[in-house]
Amino acid sequence: MRIDKFLNAVNITKRRSVSQDMIASGVVLIGDAVAKASKNIEVGSIITINYLESSKKYRVLKIPTTKSTPKSLQNEYIEEIV
């Protein structure tokens, strides 16, 4: 699954266009590399999102098979790393 689709499907962003804008701005990293929207995500990947005053890291646990997942099931797909 593409990174822009993944961020939207697991409710990290509200819209896919927001995901694409974040990726185009260079604030989304997969591992230590700046992500491109077409980059495919895999189980075990580490996603880092650099916000203005902080950053968050997520570990991919599972790839969703549907376009969107309920917010209550977000923990099945990603794990926030502290």
Side-chain angles (χ1 to χ4, degrees), residues 22-57:
M22 290 172 68
I23 292 165
S25 298
V27 298
V28 179
L29 290 83
I30 299 175
D32 292 329
V34 175
K36 294 186 179 177
S38 60
K39 177 75 174 165
N40 282 329
I41 200 77
E42 299 171 358
V43 173
S45 298
I46 304 294
I47 300 170
T48 305
I49 301 176
N50 296 314
Y51 296 103
L52 291 175
E53 296 182 9
S54 65
S55 65
K56 290 191 175 189
K57 284 188 175 192

Side-chain angles (χ1 to χ4, degrees), residues 65-80:
T65 55
T66 58
K67 186 177 178 182
S68 63
T69 58
K71 189 86 166 166
S72 61
L73 298 179
Q74 186 179 31
N75 292 337
E76 290 183 20
Y77 297 98
I78 56 172
E79 170 188 27
E80 190 169 348

